[in-house]
Amino acid sequence: MTLLRPVRPLRPVRPLRRDLYAAVAAALLVAAAVLVGRYVYTYDDLIVGWPPLLGRWDPHAGPGTPAAVLVAAATVAYGPAVAARLSWRALLPAAWGASMAWIWSLALIDGWRTGVAGRLTTRNEYLTVIDRWHDIPATLRDFTAHILIHSPDNWPAHVAGHPPAATLTFVLLDRIGLGGGGWAGAWCITAGAAGCVAILVTVRALAGEHGEHLARRAAPFLVLAPAAVWLGTSADAYFAAVAAWAVALLALTVTGRSLWWALGSGLLFGLTCFLSYGLTLVAVIAAAVLLLARRGVRQRPVLFVPLLAGAAVVPVAFTAAGFDWWEAYHLLVTRYYEGAAGVRPYGYWVWANLACTVLITGLATAAGLRRTGSALARRRDDTVSDETVRLAILVAAGLLALLVADLSGMSKAETERIWLPFALWLLPCCASLPHPRAWLAAQATLPLLLNHLVATGW
């Protein structure tokens, strides 16, 4: 008598292979950007030392090396299990702390001075102009007069390139006794790490019945984000966190929480627009939040009253102080093309910027985005859960904002830091990936290699 063996269910090989194909395609995009940037263009064309990144080839190690390896190994080994078992209230501070540990350790690979304290004190950065803000109201009234390169006492590139709330943040830190590059770097790292918590809150609020499950699966990927290389200590890390919390508070409001959250969301949205001109594109992500919670919006239209009232506070305050946002923006566009942007070729950067995005989000995100696209394409299929589709819409909004910024031509190079506020919203797509430890290992390996082999500009 012949015994029949039980039939084993077929393993989902095809989706796994497609994930790997997406990751390989992303890696090839980076390789193409490196090769074309190094062998087709010159430094005078691109004005970056290690295209597509602003940096230079410089293999090195530092005091942060052992800590970075330890944080990476611990998160890969235990991150998914810990994220699944902790209570939600405990998970959020744990994710914030782990993210800070990851960012700090990566930054300290370059040492305290180069990696943290000196980042925001270089000639193009905010701390070089602190002494010019002794009279804040007068400086705000006169701010636009110093944006253009040929204007008297023109602002350094980053000061000129952002609305004054960016510089004013560091001025106020100095006024309360937290002056210097060390405190400024610590501020950016602490705030930047909080961005991952805001995204977890948003995913849980919006993704539906099982949103918390997806947020828990995404948590280790947000902690081990390759973007951590530039979250420590670029001011864009701070901008990204403010924008992320504006969205998170909006998500809490539209899903039935207190209307006070709407006021807070509006305040942060207003501040976001006065930290960076390009962050007006966060409105795309906010629109996705309203779309996903449209039933709650219809039931509570009153939420727009505190939301809009809050959003008006910062613009009204700066306008009353004499700063004209629109005038400054148009002057910035002129300044932008007076500088490196007038030289950098759009034909290279329009796709090389996307290679930078791969480097700040990782190969796992490329695979996750493939699954995001598949979920949206099959959203009416019964095999695709509602929460998966809702998460895909949120991620797609972040990707759309990033692509609009890319096509605008106002982000030619340095997008590894400039696009942090958009790129962080791509990371939750990793929640859909099987074998999370393997993908987390790939995520951790990338920033470890980058920070040890390349001396980045931030």
Side-chain angles (χ1 to χ4, degrees):
M1 181 177 180
T2 303
L3 296 177
L4 297 178
R5 294 181 180 179
V7 178
R8 294 181 179 179
L10 294 176
R11 299 177 64 187
V13 175
R14 186 172 297 174
L16 292 177
R17 285 180 178 172
R18 289 174 179 169
D19 292 343
L20 292 174
Y21 293 157
V24 169
L28 290 175
L29 177 63
V30 173
V34 172
L35 293 174
V36 173
R38 289 183 63 84
Y39 298 108
V40 175
Y41 293 98
T42 67
Y43 175 84
D44 291 336
D45 294 325
L46 303 181
I47 316 181
V48 294
W50 199 81
L53 299 178
L54 183 69
R56 68 180 188 280
W57 182 258
D58 180 25
H60 63 284
T65 296
V69 173
L70 181 61
V71 171
T75 306
V76 170
Y78 303 108
V82 170
R85 293 172 185 170
L86 281 179
S87 69
W88 180 254
R89 287 180 179 270
L91 176 61
L92 297 181
W96 188 10
S99 180
M100 277 198 287
W102 180 232
I103 298 169
W104 272 108
S105 60
L106 288 173
L108 290 173
I109 290 172
D110 296 327
W112 168 254
R113 178 62 195 170
T114 302
V116 179
R119 291 294 194 189
L120 295 171
T121 62
T122 58
R123 63 185 181 90
N124 288 320
E125 289 285 0
Y126 305 94
L127 297 191
T128 60
V129 300
I130 297 296
D131 293 341
R132 293 174 59 179
W133 287 73
H134 59 278
D135 185 340
I136 291 176
T139 305
L140 288 175
R141 289 193 298 271
D142 198 40
F143 189 88
T144 55
H146 306 287
I147 291 178
L148 296 179
I149 286 180
H150 301 294
S151 60
D153 296 322
N154 66 82
W155 296 121
H158 288 183
V159 177
H162 295 83
T167 308
L168 187 56
T169 298
F170 299 105
V171 172
L172 295 177
L173 283 175
D174 183 78
R175 294 286 176 88
I176 64 172
L178 302 180
W183 284 113
W187 168 268
C188 291
I189 290 175
T190 304
C196 85
V197 181
I199 294 172
L200 291 177
V201 168
T202 305
V203 171
R204 181 179 187 254
L206 293 176
E209 183 180 355
H210 301 289
E212 184 173 318
H213 172 70
L214 289 174
R216 290 176 180 275
R217 287 183 59 86
F221 290 96
L222 284 160
V223 167
L224 277 190
V229 174
W230 295 275
L231 289 171
T233 54
S234 162
D236 294 85
Y238 157 50
F239 306 160
V242 173
W245 276 106
V247 174
L249 295 184
L250 178 62
L252 291 175
T253 303
V254 297
T255 52
R257 274 69 165 189
S258 169
L259 291 178
W260 287 107
W261 294 124
L263 179 64
S265 176
L267 283 168
L268 291 181
F269 273 122
L271 176 59
T272 296
C273 294
F274 279 76
L275 290 171
S276 174
Y277 298 103
L279 288 189
T280 52
L281 288 173
V282 172
V284 175
I285 303 172
V289 171
L290 296 177
L291 173 65
L292 289 170
R294 54 190 178 277
R295 180 179 299 177
V297 172
R298 286 196 297 266
Q299 292 174 348
R300 304 174 75 201
V302 69
L303 69 87
F304 286 104
V305 175
L307 179 67
L308 295 176
V313 170
V314 173
V316 168
F318 275 95
T319 302
F323 172 74
D324 188 326
W325 192 97
W326 284 105
E327 178 189 6
Y329 173 72
H330 290 300
L331 289 170
L332 164 67
V333 174
T334 302
R335 165 76 181 257
Y336 183 68
Y337 287 103
E338 285 179 335
V343 177
R344 288 169 172 162
Y346 181 86
Y348 172 77
W349 288 110
V350 73
W351 61 272
N353 282 338
L354 301 180
C356 287
T357 303
V358 173
L359 292 174
I360 60 178
T361 59
L363 299 181
T365 302
L369 286 175
R370 185 206 69 79
R371 289 179 175 252
T372 294
S374 177
L376 290 175
R378 299 185 298 116
R379 62 187 181 277
R380 301 187 187 281
D381 192 329
D382 292 338
T383 62
V384 181
S385 65
D386 177 65
E387 57 267 18
T388 299
V389 173
R390 295 172 71 83
L391 177 61
I393 291 172
L394 184 64
V395 171
L399 181 60
L400 177 59
L402 186 148
L403 292 175
V404 171
D406 187 30
L407 294 174
S408 73
M410 290 295 291
S411 300
K412 291 192 286 188
E414 305 177 43
T415 53
E416 61 268 24
R417 64 168 180 84
I418 297 171
W419 286 358
L420 287 173
F422 310 129
L424 292 180
W425 290 96
L426 306 186
L427 293 166
C429 72
C430 297
S432 62
L433 294 173
H435 311 297
R437 287 187 177 87
W439 286 111
L440 281 169
Q443 291 290 91
T445 300
L446 176 58
L448 286 172
L449 287 174
L450 282 172
N451 233 28
H452 282 95
L453 297 177
V454 179
T456 63
W458 293 275

